[in-house]
Amino acid sequence: MSDDSRPSLAKGSISLEKHTGGSDAYEVTKDGQSPACTPRDESDVYQFFVSYQESHAGRLVLDPGFASAEFGEDIAKQLKLSPDKSKILWPQPADDSHDPQNWSKARKTLQLTIATLAAVVPDFDSSIGIAAVFAMARDFHTTPNHVNQLGQSWAIFAIGWGGIFAVMLIRRYGRLPVLFWSQLLALGFMIGVTFAPNLNVSAAMRTLVGFFGTCAQVSGLYVVTDMYPVHLQARKLSIWTMGFVISPVLAPFLLGFLVARANWRWAYGIGTIYNAIVMLLIAFSSEETMYDRHLKEPHPYTTPGTARYRIETLLGLTGYRMARFRPSWKAVALAPLRVFWRPHLLAALWFEGAMFGFQIGFHVTNSVVLANPPPNGYGYGQIQIAATYASSLGAVLIGEVVGRYLNDWLLEVTVRRNKGVFEAECRLWACYPSVALFVCGSVLQGAAFQLHLHIAVLVVGWVLAQMAVMMNTSAIYAYCNDCFPKYQGEISALINLARSLGGFGVAYFQVNWVTRHGALQAFGTEAGIVAGLFLLMVPVLQIKGSYLQSRFAVN
């Protein structure tokens, strides 16, 4: 959708004015004239392009064929393009081999892989409780529902808030050291869960694992945008988001069979081993992707590539020294509040939080409902319940592939339609099939439970809903990231908080709701809420997106 009243990029209207003062040394203006002056040297050109991307959030020239009309011939000639010359690179890579945008494909792929594996950690650790819920209830002399409410829900709650604090540290000290120390603490608390003597200690340890482990679920957006240009970011974000979308079903599937035959503590032991493997990958293979583009010399203290730099960066010494060049504690503490209330972000958070939250809630309560004897459930045992989660794994993989190519296609169509200009609102077209799939899937799940339909009906509904969540999540992340290019961490943390809060309370009411009023009413109502939020928000964002970005821009 488009709005004829939305501001368009003025052709040949970019002028560059030199001022003084750090990252604000360059300003992009639109005066209807040809460029008033041209950058005096290569440094001026680079800072000009950095300023242009930040000031044109959500609306960038991507087609090189239209660059001259936008920037003028002299400046357009200095733009760096993709290898096939079909796209302008945003951000523009610096003439520095240490700029992550200039890293080799293999080097970038390794960092993305580690980021994705780390993103699995918090929800994987939390969802081990789904597989172990009955065994833990027996050992701790309580009910499965109480185990879910005390341990599972508060772990999900902590996952959301931990990301807010992690981003503050990342803005000051860098991606790598914060990820390293947070995962080390999560590993220690995971050991505590494994050997917890009672339910209260177990719940406390699981909450702390979620709080510290979630750093990987917010830093990954930084890693993707640090290494990849705008036209590739949605594709790579789809891979990274797959990590935490698939993790809530990974543990119930893989470890459900184990818990049926061995002590539940072995399940948490395996989770601890996985955390340790991720820790080793971070310690020995992960790299700092933060590149201070506004500085003349991004690494003034040590030389990247040396052993000293590697150790000091991992432990946080380099970040501590660099903090004096970065935003103050006051700035990083207020940044989430500065962006949170922007209407186009707030609408996206509500929508994504509802869809993802209800799906988390279903995962949390699914094992309880499946285990209930007829007529309120299927009366399944541990092995049968674990087997049902296999369908979700396939659904997430299918959703990732579909979402990846759909986002790429939407970008290409938008750029052609807008004469070389990319608009962030094109990402939201992926929400349309996502909502349709989610509504169909949720209603099928509810009908299968309530009407005692064949388990295949439940599986089909589950697959559709899981595909929808995967596709929608990658689209929302890409849209919000495009709208706020200077606040990737805050955007990632707020989306993480929205989806966590969305799923936090579901364990407290969904089982009782299904038992008293039927699954069709419960899941159908949740589907209706998601559909209603979609109709109220997504079309409006597409029609008025450019106006909202201009009216509520964040400096």
Side-chain angles (χ1 to χ4, degrees), residues 53-92:
Q53 183 187 5
E54 293 175 351
S55 62
H56 286 74
R59 209 167 153 76
L60 296 169
V61 177
L62 278 187
D63 191 331
F66 295 88
S68 297
E70 178 63 24
F71 302 107
E73 192 69 33
D74 292 337
I75 298 178
K77 288 179 180 179
Q78 301 182 66
L79 284 165
K80 296 178 181 178
L81 310 179
S82 59
D84 62 0
K85 309 298 181 184
S86 66
K87 298 290 187 298
I88 299 172
L89 298 179
W90 300 110
Q92 284 281 285

Side-chain angles (χ1 to χ4, degrees), residues 10-199:
K11 304 305 178 185
S13 64
I14 300 299
S15 64
L16 179 68
E17 298 179 358
K18 186 69 184 284
H19 301 279
T20 58
S23 62
D24 297 324
Y26 298 88
E27 167 181 308
V28 178
T29 63
K30 297 178 182 178
D31 55 14
Q33 304 296 326
S34 299
C37 62
T38 58
R40 293 179 298 183
D41 54 39
E42 291 185 2
S43 176
D44 284 356
V45 172
Y46 180 71
Q47 290 299 327
F48 167 61
F49 288 136
V50 170
S51 181
Y52 171 81
Q53 183 187 5
E54 293 175 351
S55 62
H56 286 74
R59 209 167 153 76
L60 296 169
V61 177
L62 278 187
D63 191 331
F66 295 88
S68 297
E70 178 63 24
F71 302 107
E73 192 69 33
D74 292 337
I75 298 178
K77 288 179 180 179
Q78 301 182 66
L79 284 165
K80 296 178 181 178
L81 310 179
S82 59
D84 62 0
K85 309 298 181 184
S86 66
K87 298 290 187 298
I88 299 172
L89 298 179
W90 300 110
Q92 284 281 285
D95 293 324
D96 180 1
S97 62
H98 302 303
D99 183 348
Q101 293 282 333
N102 293 324
W103 289 356
S104 67
K105 183 178 180 180
R107 190 176 178 185
K108 291 180 180 181
T109 300
L110 176 61
Q111 300 309 307
L112 179 60
T113 300
I114 295 173
T116 303
L117 292 174
V120 171
V121 167
D123 281 323
F124 177 78
D125 291 346
S126 175
S127 60
I128 292 174
I130 298 175
V133 62
F134 297 106
M136 292 177 71
R138 287 193 301 269
D139 281 8
F140 295 140
H141 309 292
T142 186
T143 64
N145 203 29
H146 181 63
V147 173
N148 271 341
Q149 292 175 353
L150 186 61
Q152 196 74 15
S153 290
W154 285 103
I156 294 172
F157 181 81
I159 286 173
W161 290 105
I164 299 292
F165 293 97
V167 167
M168 297 179 188
L169 295 171
I170 289 172
R171 288 278 300 274
R172 292 281 292 171
Y173 303 122
R175 317 336 182 191
L176 181 57
V178 178
L179 180 63
F180 172 75
W181 287 111
S182 65
Q183 298 310 296
L184 183 62
L185 289 169
L187 175 61
F189 290 122
M190 192 62 179
I191 295 173
V193 178
T194 305
F195 297 102
N198 55 60
L199 182 59

Side-chain angles (χ1 to χ4, degrees), residues 276-331:
I277 292 172
V278 171
M279 264 297 305
L280 292 173
L281 287 172
I282 293 171
F284 291 101
S285 299
S286 196
E287 298 186 60
E288 177 59 77
T289 63
M290 188 172 187
Y291 190 82
D292 298 283
R293 298 189 180 278
H294 292 289
L295 297 181
K296 293 281 186 178
E297 186 182 356
H299 301 284
Y301 291 107
T302 54
T303 304
T306 64
R308 176 186 172 186
Y309 173 79
R310 171 68 190 170
I311 295 172
E312 291 184 347
T313 302
L314 181 68
L315 298 180
L317 297 177
T318 302
Y320 177 77
R321 294 167 183 156
M322 290 293 296
R324 60 189 291 259
F325 300 107
R326 293 168 179 164
S328 65
W329 277 113
K330 180 181 179 180

Side-chain angles (χ1 to χ4, degrees), residues 314-523:
L314 181 68
L315 298 180
L317 297 177
T318 302
Y320 177 77
R321 294 167 183 156
M322 290 293 296
R324 60 189 291 259
F325 300 107
R326 293 168 179 164
S328 65
W329 277 113
K330 180 181 179 180
V332 299
L334 294 178
L337 297 177
R338 293 188 66 202
V339 299
F340 170 73
W341 63 270
R342 313 292 163 168
H344 46 312
L345 175 60
L346 196 58
L349 292 178
W350 274 103
F351 175 52
E352 171 65 12
M355 181 183 286
F356 203 112
F358 286 140
Q359 192 64 5
I360 288 178
F362 181 77
H363 291 318
V364 172
T365 58
N366 179 57
S367 58
V368 177
V369 175
L370 283 175
N372 284 341
N376 294 322
Y378 282 75
Y380 277 6
Q382 183 72 57
I383 294 178
Q384 292 169 302
I385 293 174
T388 61
Y389 280 89
S391 59
S392 280
L393 299 180
V396 172
L397 294 175
I398 295 171
E400 192 282 323
V401 173
V402 173
R404 183 196 315 173
Y405 289 104
L406 178 60
N407 277 309
D408 285 351
W409 179 76
L410 290 172
L411 182 142
E412 295 291 342
V413 170
T414 301
V415 170
R416 288 198 304 268
R417 185 194 67 182
N418 293 342
K419 298 181 179 180
V421 177
F422 161 75
E423 293 178 331
E425 290 76 26
C426 76
R427 308 290 195 192
L428 298 176
W429 284 109
C431 298
Y432 286 76
S434 299
V435 168
L437 290 172
F438 186 83
V439 171
C440 292
S442 296
V443 172
L444 278 177
Q445 291 175 82
F449 275 131
Q450 184 165 329
L451 304 178
H452 315 298
L453 302 178
H454 193 275
I455 189 64
V457 178
L458 174 65
V459 168
V460 171
W462 199 349
V463 167
L464 293 178
Q466 195 66 46
M467 286 177 58
V469 170
M470 178 65 236
M471 294 167 58
N472 196 76
T473 300
S474 61
I476 292 296
Y477 265 97
Y479 168 72
C480 294
N481 174 59
D482 291 332
C483 292
F484 299 90
K486 293 174 62 177
Y487 295 89
Q488 294 104 333
E490 286 76 17
I491 294 304
S492 187
L494 289 171
I495 296 176
N496 187 57
L497 177 62
R499 68 184 186 84
S500 298
L501 293 180
F504 163 67
V506 179
Y508 284 92
F509 65 79
Q510 194 169 65
V511 172
N512 292 332
W513 191 2
V514 169
T515 302
R516 294 178 182 177
H517 302 287
L520 188 56
Q521 182 189 104
F523 296 142

